[in-house]
Amino acid sequence: MKLTKYTHACVRLEKDGNVLVIDPGTFSESEEALSGADAVLVTHEHNDHIDRQAVLAAMRSNASLVVHAPAGVAAALKEDDDVAERVHTVEPGSDFETAGFSVRTFGGQHAVIHPQIPVVANIGYLVDGNVFHPGDSFVVPDGIDVKTLLLPIHAPWSKVGEVLDFVISVRAPRAFPVHDGLLNELGRGVVEGHVTRIGARYGTSYERLVPRDSVEV
């Protein structure tokens, strides 16, 4: 399938004429990513992972577009009666088909930022047994070998050592960056240098993608 990265956490997957978008947030080119989409997966409720107005607009303009999201996100979207029937609540540990893609879910909660900041639900999605988007977590999928890891390389909830441990734990042959919207080039170079060097020791080839770059996975 074709994978296109957008700014921060959003990616678009295309296969056999079908389009699946993950985490079209307010930091991303959400309208562009959602153009012609058949389905959307949302990992959690934070605005950098869902641009609610952009998603609702896309659903209103495309009567076949469906959204899968954790309960809180789904409930908020279902407040719009025009789209409510096409919004589906997702729990961890489930399997489903959407827009010609198979999806398996993992995790359950967002990584802790600080004890005084509430933890919200977070779902990691494995698409076609290939591409894994963990959302805001370092949950390692169990019972399957991930082929393509979408790696959150920088976040308020992580440090570089945790990013590296996640790469080592998943051991996917390929990794591409997500959750990088808050990095400048100096910071990116530091993180990516470590990921490239240490990931290679454990069989992971890391490749930088900039917004609108596409690869076949």
Side-chain angles (χ1 to χ4, degrees):
M1 70 185 108
K2 179 182 177 182
L3 183 154
T4 302
K5 173 182 168 50
Y6 290 93
T7 299
H8 200 54
C10 179
V11 297
R12 175 182 169 109
L13 301 173
E14 300 176 59
K15 182 189 71 172
D16 300 331
N18 297 317
V19 177
L20 174 67
V21 177
I22 307 176
D23 278 4
T26 57
F27 293 2
S28 308
E29 300 82 4
S30 295
E31 291 183 7
E32 179 180 332
L34 290 165
S35 178
D38 301 290
V40 175
L41 305 179
V42 181
T43 63
H44 66 284
E45 66 188 50
H46 291 159
N47 289 340
D48 56 327
H49 292 260
I50 177 170
D51 183 337
R52 183 181 174 188
Q53 295 309 312
V55 170
L56 288 172
M59 296 185 77
R60 293 187 194 107
S61 65
N62 178 0
S64 64
L65 177 60
V66 297
V67 174
H68 303 266
V73 179
L77 292 174
K78 286 180 178 181
E79 291 176 2
D80 188 312
D81 293 337
D82 292 336
V83 307
E85 292 184 354
R86 290 180 283 132
V87 179
H88 306 284
T89 300
V90 179
E91 299 288 342
S94 62
D95 296 87
F96 59 92
E97 300 279 333
T98 187
F101 296 86
S102 64
V103 181
R104 182 176 294 185
T105 63
F106 297 88
Q109 71 176 37
H110 191 287
V112 174
I113 301 172
H114 187 271
Q116 296 188 47
I117 299 176
V119 173
V120 300
N122 181 90
I123 302 293
Y125 296 101
L126 179 73
V127 180
D128 280 356
N130 179 352
V131 177
F132 181 58
H133 193 313
D136 279 10
S137 78
F138 288 135
V139 62
V140 177
D142 57 281
I144 193 164
D145 293 326
V146 174
K147 299 180 178 67
T148 307
L149 174 63
L150 300 177
L151 177 64
I153 64 172
H154 175 265
W157 44 268
S158 73
K159 61 183 181 180
V160 174
E162 293 169 332
V163 174
L164 298 175
D165 285 342
F166 185 52
V167 173
I168 292 168
S169 296
V170 177
R171 301 200 183 193
R174 304 176 77 185
F176 302 101
V178 291
H179 217 282
D180 52 357
L182 301 181
L183 277 175
N184 63 22
E185 283 303 305
L186 290 173
R188 177 186 290 277
V190 170
V191 178
E192 291 187 329
H194 290 312
V195 171
T196 299
R197 184 180 70 259
I198 294 177
R201 297 179 186 174
Y202 295 88
T204 298
S205 175
Y206 175 84
E207 180 181 341
R208 177 190 290 198
L209 297 177
V210 301
R212 298 187 175 91
D213 274 355
S214 296
V215 293
E216 292 293 327
V217 296

